[in-house]
């Protein structure tokens, strides 16, 4: 008897919002769907199945997805046979809402249920709407090889979930408890990517440095991955200050291909606010850690996340955040206005910093950081940096762009090299976000 795959003759389209974990998850979804016979299409019009992989970390992220769902609703009206699935963190958080008030949505599927997607789509084709939002303590998709087009840079999810329960954050509720993939399978994945010509991998986890596989911690994983191909750059994100061990700092410096760049969110410079956030460190402890990192890893580049306007934040709290930014001298910062999230502990605290004040503080943080970044970048003018060429620059077809190991974006004229090459660039000018220069042979 010949049996046909569930996805035979069906195309699926996937759109991804939010963090890099979601990008990595969409690659897992693509792999699962392709194995079931579905074919990925980049065009919405050709899709039999439309997935939107969503983010719930802030209200505006959800608002964007709701806006996009409006487009899919029209599409579904014109073509009732198309299946619409909401995946990811919003599916987990708003399961009931989505099923009840968005009647054109056929499937609501949380981050730990992607293996069931082909079956759920099959049921939906037969007219059965589906919801699958169970969170797992073990699912890590370890055996699934994510689908990736050939390229220079790959994201590898090495652990899922978060046990930190920062009081503002919905992630522990939408992604569940921490669990790590096996070291062996991650190393195999990196070996495969190296053979395919990838030049850079970023190890991903909501809390990547709390990785644990039996007795192997994140430093062991980093060392094992770094050994695979010394010409491959290794990055990782996001690190929690609490899990930034001496062993990990030493491992970064001991492996030349592990990039000297650490994203180490501080969130606030005020001890009182840090405590309310349940961040488990004081500003002094964080600054000591930064001191140790800078001393051990010469030329290290650091970035952070900052939240402006957390409940009860005073002008004085805000001032200490600005001072901390200046003291650390970050190379970059991702900055956010506090957004209350249901279920979190902070949801029960009054959101008492008025919107205008949140905006004012956020803008001040952005301005101060821009000035710091500009000053740091300006010191690089006249020097030469090694850059991994990523591709054409966004603004000009005659220029390429690429990054330094410290994650600085560099733009330079094309000159006989291509994406994936390591070249040397002499820096001629800089702004707060980008370095500009020209290729030199060294
Ligand atoms: N409001 C604002 N920012 C938030 N983040 C997480 N939750 C919230 C929230 N409720 C930010 C934190 C985190 C980053 C990924 O998003 O700074 O580090
Ligand atoms: Fe959210 Fe905190 Fe976990 Fe990061 S460490 S994902 S901010 S709970």
């Amino acid at each position: 008897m010949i049996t046909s795959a569930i996805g035979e003759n069906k195309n699926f389209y996937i759109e991804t919002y939010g963090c890099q974990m979601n990008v990595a998850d969409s690659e897992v979804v693509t792999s699962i769907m392709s194995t079931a016979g579905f074919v990925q299409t980049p065009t919405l019009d050709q899709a039999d199945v439309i997935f939107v992989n969503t983010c719930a970390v802030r209200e505006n992220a959800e608002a964007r997805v709701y806006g996009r769902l409006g487009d899919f609703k029209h599409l579904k009206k014109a073509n009732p046979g198309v299946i619409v699935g909401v995946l990811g963190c919003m599916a987990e958080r708003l399961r009931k809402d989505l099923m009840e008030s968005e009647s054109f949505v056929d499937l609501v599927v949380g981050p730990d249920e992607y293996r069931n997607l082909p079956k759920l789509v099959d049921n939906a084709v037969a007219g059965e709407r589906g919801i699958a939002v169970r969170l797992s303590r073990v699912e890590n998709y370890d055996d699934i090889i994510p689908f990736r087009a050939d390229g220079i840079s790959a994201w590898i999810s090495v652990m899922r979930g978060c046990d930190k329960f920062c009081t503002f954050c919905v992630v522990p509720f939408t992604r569940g408890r921490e669990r790590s993939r096996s070291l062996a399978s991650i190393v195999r994945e990196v070996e495969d990517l190296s053979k395919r010509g990838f030049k850079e991998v970023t190890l991903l986890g909501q809390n990547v440095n709390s990785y644990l596989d039996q007795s192997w911690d994140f430093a062991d994983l980093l060392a094992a991955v770094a050994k695979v191909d010394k010409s491959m750059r290794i990055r990782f994100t996001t690190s929690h200050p609490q899990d930034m061990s001496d062993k990990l700092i030493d491992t970064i410096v001991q492996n030349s291909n592990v990039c000297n760049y650490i994203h180490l969110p501080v969130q606030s410079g005020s001890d009182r606010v840090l405590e309310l956030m349940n961040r488990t460190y004081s500003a002094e402890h964080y600054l000591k850690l930064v001191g140790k990192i800078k001393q051990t890893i010469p030329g290290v580049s650091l970035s952070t996340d900052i939240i402006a306007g957390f409940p009860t934040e005073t002008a004085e709290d805000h001032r200490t955040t600005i001072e901390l930014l200046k003291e650390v001298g970050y190379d970059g910062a991702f900055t956010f206005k506090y957004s209350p999230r249901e279920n979190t502990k902070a949801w029960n605290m009054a959101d008492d910093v008025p919107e205008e004040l949140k905006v004012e503080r956020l803008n001040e943080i952005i301005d101060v950081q821009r000035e710091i970044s500009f000053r740091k970048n300006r010191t690089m003018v006249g020097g030469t940096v090694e850059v991994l060429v990523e591709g054409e620059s966004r603004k000009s077809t005659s220029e390429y762009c690429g990054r330094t190991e410290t994650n600085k974006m560099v733009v330079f004229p094309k000159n006989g090299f291509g994406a994936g090459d390591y070249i040397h660039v002499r820096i001629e000018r800089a702004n707060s976000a980008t370095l500009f220069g020209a290729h030199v042979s060294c």
Side-chain angles (χ1 to χ4, degrees), residues 303-367:
S303 62
T304 190
D305 292 344
I306 302 280
I307 297 179
F310 187 79
T312 78
E313 186 189 72
T314 62
E316 176 60 15
D317 293 323
H318 170 65
R319 201 182 53 75
T320 56
T321 299
I322 298 279
E323 272 170 15
L324 184 135
L325 282 181
K326 290 180 180 166
E327 185 156 355
V328 174
Y330 291 106
D331 293 82
F334 300 89
T335 52
F336 313 99
K337 268 186 307 173
Y338 171 67
S339 167
R341 306 277 69 206
E342 221 172 335
N343 286 326
T344 62
K345 269 206 171 152
W347 176 256
N348 299 319
M349 305 175 193
D351 180 21
D352 57 359
V353 179
E355 177 66 16
E356 316 82 69
L357 205 50
K358 278 187 193 168
V359 173
E360 197 180 296
R361 288 178 185 169
L362 182 73
N363 286 339
E364 190 185 347
I365 291 166
I366 292 170
D367 287 348

Side-chain angles (χ1 to χ4, degrees), residues 18 34 40 63 94 109 124 148 155 171 181 235 260 266 273 290 303 328 332 340 349 363 368 373 376 381:
S34 305
Q40 186 175 21
L94 297 168
V109 183
R148 294 187 184 94
W155 303 88
V171 165
R181 285 179 54 189
R235 300 187 184 278
N260 291 349
V266 70
V273 173
V290 164
S303 62
V328 174
M349 305 175 193
N363 286 339
V368 167
S373 301
K376 296 201 91 167
V381 173

